[in-house]
Amino acid sequence: MSDAAVSEAALPTRFGAFIAPYHGIDGNPALQLRRDLDLVEHLDALGFEEAWIGEHHSAGYETIASPEVFIAAAAERTGRIRLGTGVNSLPYHHPLVLADRIVQLDLQSRGRVMFGSGPGQLASDAFMMGIDPMRQRSMMAEALAAIVPLLRGETVTMRTDWFTLDQARLHLGPYTRAGIETVCASTVSPSGSVQAGTHGMGLLSLAAADPSGFAALATNWDVYAKTCAEHGHVADRERWRLVVPMHLAETTEAAREQAEYGVHHLVDYIQGLSGMTMPWGATPHEAVAQWTGEGFPTFGVAMIGTPAQAIERITAMTERSGGFGTLLLLDLPIARPADKRRSYELFAEYVVPHFTGANRPRQASMAWANDNSERFIGALRQAVVAAMTPPAAS
């Protein structure tokens, strides 16, 4: 598939990472968290625009309980990259307290914070807090109805069966007049698209790599656009983010071999959560083959290969979705830390310029020089001959 089938304006021009984070439970959690901070610093140096940090409270694999605490540390180690909560599980927080924390982070980072919201992914988290998983989406909707106006500086009075706001207002404002960017997570169902459209938030498609999620991209965008229009908002594809797992190396064989290092951590995690033994292969080699073919639940179909293959995959996602603004690489512990860092380097070096057009002036200049090489060389030769020819005697 070539870019000719896709409008240039529809191609993504911003790139980042979605860091849950995922970590094997046999490693040192303190070192794993330090490596996550190192990774965000590395992404900042490579020119990635965004890093999103998750929130989880159980199962031992996704180890950050407070994205705000992590972002505060990451903001001190970086200077450019924007940092988002990816995502705050809204049923677990009083809206006023969460909004207060987000604004404080925005000020500490000097306007680099983004607020991402969702209902909460792990049923085990909700179970420990006595929250009915069937109510999580309605609780998210109620929380957003309070948090979004609070972040805009409005006063909110609201009563539900799980929180009360009585003339609530934030005592701090955002760092810039533009305010804090807000997004809502979406998977396969349209519920996230409805909430994002209702409040004029950006859309974060977490399941873009899953076959069912990939198939639903266009439908979810249509729901989002329709809901935006109904509530007086503009649906802007530049504010749409898609998440996909990728690991790159110089060759496909090297990428797959590197991915075999930690792929069974994912298999064990998924099997533990589902309570079922899945046919994902008895060996890491077979598991990688499955993951790049039919995919894994939660993680979808991975792109494990070369920068050229990554470009093909992103172009296909653009064609399917109709266009989006930002691609987020799902960060996974499938390769050794050095290989993972190299994967991000390859993406920044070869994939990003393809979509941003950073090398087009260089390519045009080289093409022009090549097309006129005979004329230039001829002139050069004449100049050399002239320099070597002694002047005529007067």
Side-chain angles (χ1 to χ4, degrees), residues 16 45 50 52 62 74 99 112 177 206 223 230 237 246 256 271 273 275 291-292 297 316 339 347 353 386 388 390:
E50 300 178 358
W52 295 80
E62 301 172 73
R112 289 191 286 139
R177 288 185 179 180
L206 299 177
V223 170
E230 291 172 349
R237 288 183 179 272
M246 286 192 180
R256 290 189 170 223
Q271 289 183 162
L273 287 180
W291 194 19
T292 54
D339 291 330
F347 192 96
M388 296 177 62

Side-chain angles (χ1 to χ4, degrees), residues 249-258 304-306 309:
E250 281 76 3
T251 67
T252 302
E253 293 75 19
R256 290 189 170 223
E257 182 178 352
Q258 291 169 11
I304 300 176
T306 65
Q309 291 169 325

Side-chain angles (χ1 to χ4, degrees), residues 16-20 22 243-246 298-299 328-332 344:
F18 192 89
I19 304 170
Y22 300 110
V243 180
V244 61
M246 286 192 180
T298 301
F299 302 104
L328 300 176
L329 302 176
L330 181 61
D331 187 73
L332 295 169
Y344 282 110

Side-chain angles (χ1 to χ4, degrees), residues 279-294:
W280 291 325
T283 68
H285 181 81
E286 293 173 350
V288 169
Q290 168 71 23
W291 194 19
T292 54
E294 298 181 10

